Amino acid sequence: MNRRTFIKRMISSGLLLIGLSSGSYYYAKHIEPKRLHIQYETIASPKIPQAFNQFRIIQFSDTHIGFHYTTEQFSQLIKNINQLHPDLIVFTGDFVDRPHQFHWNNELKELLKSLEAPHGKYWIYGNHDHGGYGTDILKNFMETADFHLLQNSHTRISVKQEEIILAGIDDAILGKPDIDGTLKSVDSNLFTILLAHEPDLAKFVKHYPVDVQLSGHSHGGQVRLPFFGHLYTPIYAKKYTIGRYQVTDDFTLFVNRGIGTTRLPFRFLCTPEIHVYQLEHKAI
């Protein structure tokens, strides 16, 4: 950490304490974490087939159920997603906070199963999913809820005999991500979306035939202050923390702020969000 960053964090932390002590504590703990922002994004490319015009993908991430995020809150999230009528749903990691201690139940499975998307529901591992001996626990649970795991693998999504590629890599912290293996045999002429829990993997992904990367992990920093931005983000979410980044002319990264919280049960100026991506064929 350089001197400028250190001073920034010290000042920001001081302002946070002042703010929380004057009444924002209640808002940051009890109000903002229960709100939901829907971020709409258009993804346009000549590589997107015309059959995929207005194709709608919904991304949700980092629910961290069990850490100040309840099944009742998750139930409302499911309703919100279904009301948006997605064609495809993707979950980009960290489903529960501590898989080995979590009380897995049929209600949660049925809620997840009730998500509706005619072209499928897909997910990838986050670091919390692998942590706490959760790798196999979560895999089995998500399978029963009709979610398909993309772990260093890809699949073809078809509409009227035209196709795009949806790929996913393993978590970078506790898993074994393999970009080469994930994209092996992928036709570079096909529009390709990659799910990667950690956004900073974009520095490697940009060298591959990937058009869009969808990530979570950062929580957007959870606590953001005016003029200062976030106070903290985890490893592999230091460069890319929130929103849309045009990494190269042909490669775009989207970082989702996530739904739940981790480490501390606060959100301030960083509302939980889901992303709604609409694909559009762009004429050359």
Side-chain angles (χ1 to χ4, degrees):
M1 184 187 305
N2 60 38
R3 183 173 180 271
R4 182 179 180 183
T5 302
F6 176 78
I7 293 173
K8 173 184 174 181
R9 290 189 178 178
M10 289 295 292
I11 295 173
S12 298
S13 299
L15 290 174
L16 174 62
L17 290 174
I18 293 170
L20 293 181
S21 65
S22 63
S24 297
Y25 174 89
Y26 183 85
Y27 172 82
K29 184 174 183 181
H30 298 289
I31 297 179
E32 185 163 316
K34 296 179 181 179
R35 298 174 61 195
L36 179 66
H37 172 73
I38 302 174
Q39 179 65 32
Y40 292 88
E41 297 281 358
T42 297
I43 301 176
S45 170
K47 293 175 66 177
I48 296 175
Q50 290 187 350
F52 280 84
N53 264 330
Q54 300 185 345
F55 188 89
R56 179 171 285 195
I57 300 172
I58 288 185
Q59 175 198 11
F60 71 109
S61 191
D62 299 272
T63 44
H64 288 269
I65 300 173
F67 183 77
H68 300 271
Y69 188 78
T70 67
T71 302
E72 290 74 21
Q73 288 174 280
F74 186 64
S75 176
Q76 184 58 52
L77 175 69
I78 298 298
K79 292 178 183 177
N80 289 332
I81 292 175
N82 278 337
Q83 288 172 357
L84 292 167
H85 305 293
D87 295 297
L88 180 77
I89 294 174
V90 297
F91 174 70
T92 45
D94 285 358
F95 187 63
V96 304
D97 206 60
R98 297 178 178 177
H100 63 303
Q101 297 177 351
F102 186 75
H103 175 62
W104 298 93
N105 59 75
N106 193 61
E107 179 185 4
L108 188 60
K109 181 190 73 174
E110 291 302 318
L111 284 171
L112 199 60
K113 194 172 184 177
S114 70
L115 282 171
E116 300 172 355
H119 291 276
K121 301 181 291 187
Y122 295 86
W123 73 285
I124 57 171
Y125 282 113
N127 53 302
H128 282 262
D129 302 318
H130 278 311
Y133 305 99
T135 303
D136 292 333
I137 295 173
L138 197 66
K139 181 179 180 181
N140 294 334
F141 181 82
M142 297 296 274
E143 283 179 354
T144 65
D146 301 327
F147 268 73
H148 306 285
L149 174 63
L150 292 173
Q151 186 179 19
N152 297 329
S153 59
H154 69 269
T155 188
R156 291 171 179 254
I157 308 298
S158 300
V159 175
K160 296 179 181 179
Q161 299 182 326
E162 295 192 285
E163 296 178 327
I164 63 172
I165 298 293
L166 180 66
I169 57 175
D170 201 0
D171 173 69
I173 298 174
L174 297 178
K176 297 179 180 179
D178 179 3
I179 304 175
D180 286 309
T182 300
L183 300 175
K184 185 178 180 180
S185 75
V186 168
D187 184 348
S188 61
N189 293 314
L190 293 178
F191 187 80
T192 299
I193 299 172
L194 177 73
L195 310 181
H197 182 64
E198 289 87 0
D200 285 359
L201 292 180
K203 67 180 179 180
F204 304 112
V205 176
K206 68 181 181 180
H207 300 296
Y208 290 83
V210 172
D211 299 283
V212 170
Q213 176 181 319
L214 307 183
S215 296
H217 184 57
S218 73
H219 292 248
Q222 280 190 196
V223 174
R224 302 180 66 87
L225 298 179
F227 309 111
F228 290 97
H230 63 273
L231 301 182
Y232 167 83
T233 53
I235 186 174
Y236 294 123
K238 300 297 185 182
K239 183 174 182 179
Y240 303 111
T241 59
I242 187 170
R244 180 174 186 153
Y245 298 89
Q246 197 64 47
V247 182
T248 70
D249 290 343
D250 303 316
F251 175 52
T252 308
L253 165 67
F254 294 93
V255 185
N256 183 273
R257 296 198 297 250
I259 295 295
T261 57
T262 186
R263 296 177 181 267
L264 294 173
F266 301 106
R267 278 189 179 268
F268 190 75
L269 302 182
C270 192
T271 310
E273 75 174 352
I274 57 177
H275 266 88
V276 180
Y277 305 100
Q278 181 165 296
L279 304 187
E280 289 187 3
H281 171 76
K282 181 180 179 181
I284 300 176

